[in-house]
Amino acid sequence: MAKKIPITLLCGYLGAGKTTLLNRVLTNQKGYKVAVIVNDIGEVNVDERLISKEAKIEDSSSLVPLTNGCICCTLKTDMVNQIENLMKSGKFDYIMIEASGVCEPMPIAQAIETIEIGKLDNVVGVVDASRLVEEFDEGKSLLKEDIDEEDIESLLIQQIEFCSTLIVNKRDLVTDEQMKMVRAVINKIQPTVKVFETTRCEVPIDEIIGTDRFDFETVYASAGWVKALEEHDEHEDDDDDPSTGSGTEEEHEHHHDHDHEEHEHEGHEHHHHEHKHEGESEDEYGIGSFVYYRRRPFNRERLDKFANNWPRNIIRSKGVVWFSDEDDMAYVLETSGRQIQAGYSGNWLASCPPAEQKRVLAEEPEMKKDWDEKVGDRMIKMVIIGRHLDKEQICKDLDACLDD
């Protein structure tokens, strides 16, 4: 079987330093013949000119600008086809994709994983240290009402959460104390990512290409909200919460499959969930997390109303939710920054025929431990990560959104 061609995906908001990093790679390719796919709306031509000049590329055919919109929208056709064509041309043995600053990395990674002759080697996030300070230094950025700023905050969180290498650039623009706070936030959002603090993206090239660092399941499972659920699971049997039993890794995988449909393994007819426990911790910068867990459904209208006043110091939240007007359906609710969304995630096992329930409960005893006689496996279970969280007040506000 032919060796798969490695791919590095480069993500980061406009101005974070992606082009600088790209030029470093192109002027020192570590023995690879690197092709670059550039996609930054409104910046494509500028980037192309910059890269061609600084990297002294004589044959500009190694630059493939995607001009018809964002990589997110065209990734299933244009990007995948172009990558495959570049690989088949035999001219290149490494592909670098500079994603638009306004793209979430996960859907692009999912599309790349469909390319049989390629392998996603590294997902590199480049973030601006001074912008992170601005976003997470509670009180300054959180008062902004500007829609674009809301999008930026959401993207920053998702770009930190879903990468295997994180470059915190423009380190020279922040103090040591500010940097410690930024690292504390990063540690809560994505505790296992390899972080480099840089000025002008000065980082060894072999930390960017040829790393073999990216693995979809590992990166997904190492996100802070997943870790928070796992930590609470460990303490579950010792507590007096209405929940008993513990979640298995297998259950987590099923939930993940529903949550990210493009990456799922087909055939799960009902929803599985992680069963973890309430708990909280806070570091010296006030960054902490807890799990909100109830066996009653949300009233959709009440939750929708509360979403308009979602606490501004919640950085990230994610979990499974149950709505009273759709009793059979499990949803995944997630927020990052000011963006809040809920997506259908499969049906509760309790809504399936009795024979199916019996079969699954026999096969997965962990689910049986958590089975409630009245509501079955229906539940709300959300991890909430933020700064100076008032757990009591947030729980009270969420409880007020429950159905009567």
Side-chain angles (χ1 to χ4, degrees):
M1 186 178 157
K3 194 181 172 192
K4 291 191 172 188
I5 294 177
I7 300 165
T8 289
L9 174 63
L10 192 54
C11 300
Y13 204 74
L14 308 174
K18 296 196 303 294
T19 302
T20 305
L21 182 62
L22 207 49
N23 288 327
R24 286 191 184 281
V25 173
L26 287 171
T27 49
N28 180 13
Q29 301 189 19
K30 290 284 176 184
Y32 287 107
K33 294 192 289 290
V34 181
V36 178
I37 293 179
V38 182
N39 175 239
D40 238 328
I41 299 167
E43 290 194 8
V44 167
N45 295 328
V46 177
D47 276 355
E48 186 173 358
R49 199 167 62 239
L50 262 178
I51 292 165
S52 299
K53 188 177 69 180
E54 291 188 17
K56 299 181 180 66
I57 292 178
E58 289 166 21
D59 178 10
S60 63
S61 64
S62 66
L63 291 163
V64 185
L66 284 179
T67 48
N68 60 337
C70 174
I71 216 169
C72 309
C73 315
T74 58
L75 54 86
K76 270 301 178 200
T77 52
D78 286 16
M79 187 191 74
V80 169
N81 291 341
Q82 289 190 17
I83 293 171
E84 287 178 337
N85 290 338
L86 280 171
M87 289 173 167
K88 286 170 185 169
S89 75
K91 290 181 186 173
F92 306 102
D93 53 17
Y94 207 100
I95 309 284
M96 272 199 84
I97 301 167
E98 180 186 1
S100 162
V102 294
C103 282
E104 295 170 22
M106 189 187 282
I108 307 174
Q110 287 172 325
I112 291 169
E113 292 229 317
T114 66
I115 300 168
E116 287 182 15
I117 52 177
K119 178 191 182 297
L120 194 50
D121 176 271
N122 202 2
V123 174
V124 180
V126 183
V127 291
D128 175 341
S130 55
R131 192 186 277 280
L132 287 182
V133 168
E134 198 181 296
E135 294 299 346
F136 300 129
D137 192 4
E138 192 185 341
K140 277 194 284 187
S141 69
L142 300 178
L143 298 172
K144 289 178 186 165
E145 297 297 333
D146 188 284
I147 288 292
D148 291 339
E149 291 300 322
E150 293 178 11
D151 290 344
I152 289 167
E153 189 174 309
S154 169
L155 279 160
L156 281 170
I157 292 156
Q158 290 175 59
Q159 287 167 351
I160 291 168
E161 189 169 75
F162 195 78
C163 65
S164 41
T165 306
L166 182 65
I167 295 172
V168 183
N169 194 32
K170 306 191 183 180
R171 170 67 179 87
D172 52 323
L173 301 183
V174 299
T175 65
D176 289 352
E177 192 58 27
Q178 285 173 325
M179 193 65 210
K180 281 180 189 168
M181 191 267 291
V182 163
R183 290 297 294 261
V185 174
I186 290 167
N187 188 50
K188 208 69 181 170
I189 299 172
Q190 176 53 284
T192 60
V193 68
K194 188 156 188 179
V195 182
F196 295 92
E197 297 174 19
T198 66
T199 300
R200 290 178 289 283
C201 282
E202 286 171 0
V203 64
I205 302 304
D206 49 17
E207 298 289 358
I208 306 300
I209 62 174
T211 64
D212 201 25
R213 192 172 289 150
F214 182 82
D215 174 75
F216 195 104
E217 299 295 342
T218 305
V219 169
Y220 180 87
S222 63
W225 64 270
V226 178
K227 293 290 182 202
L229 283 172
E230 286 169 352
E231 280 165 22
H232 303 309
D233 182 27
E234 287 167 15
H235 305 297
E236 189 162 69
D237 291 330
D238 306 328
D239 283 312
D240 298 318
D241 191 272
S243 151
T244 55
S246 61
T248 64
E249 206 167 295
E250 186 181 1
E251 285 174 51
H252 162 71
E253 285 172 8
H254 286 311
H255 176 191
H256 162 201
D257 296 336
H258 282 301
D259 188 15
H260 299 288
E261 290 173 11
E262 287 179 69
H263 195 67
E264 70 183 41
H265 315 290
E266 299 298 330
H268 302 306
E269 292 166 8
H270 48 76
H271 174 85
H272 288 62
H273 48 267
E274 306 93 343
H275 227 322
K276 318 296 193 233
H277 202 294
E278 221 163 357
E280 64 201 298
S281 58
E282 204 171 85
D283 67 18
E284 61 181 304
Y285 298 96
I287 300 155
S289 65
F290 67 90
V291 177
Y292 175 78
Y293 167 65
R294 299 289 183 265
R295 299 306 287 260
R296 279 171 60 199
F298 278 133
N299 174 297
R300 195 185 296 265
E301 285 175 21
R302 287 177 191 166
L303 185 66
D304 197 43
K305 199 174 172 185
F306 178 57
N308 294 326
N309 301 302
W310 195 253
R312 291 194 148 320
N313 55 338
I314 293 177
I315 294 170
R316 177 78 160 119
S317 55
K318 185 162 181 171
V320 59
V321 295
W322 164 27
F323 291 113
S324 55
D325 61 325
E326 288 188 304
D327 209 37
D328 293 349
M329 298 181 181
Y331 280 82
V332 168
L333 178 82
E334 59 180 306
T335 76
S336 49
R338 304 282 76 79
Q339 291 189 351
I340 299 174
Q341 57 193 28
Y344 171 63
S345 181
N347 280 17
W348 298 111
L349 180 59
S351 70
C352 297
E356 167 80 349
Q357 290 179 24
K358 195 174 175 184
R359 181 184 65 80
V360 173
L361 290 172
E363 284 173 11
E364 299 188 35
E366 295 297 342
M367 282 190 77
K368 196 169 187 176
K369 283 183 193 174
D370 302 321
W371 191 262
D372 181 276
E373 284 306 313
K374 208 162 105 183
V375 302
D377 58 332
R378 296 181 181 94
M379 65 170 63
I380 295 167
K381 193 132 209 174
M382 290 169 56
V383 173
I384 294 173
I385 298 171
R387 196 155 183 240
H388 302 308
L389 294 173
D390 184 341
K391 178 185 166 185
E392 205 174 309
Q393 186 60 48
I394 292 168
C395 289
K396 195 176 158 187
D397 289 340
L398 288 171
D399 285 349
C401 300
L402 297 172
D403 206 63
D404 299 325

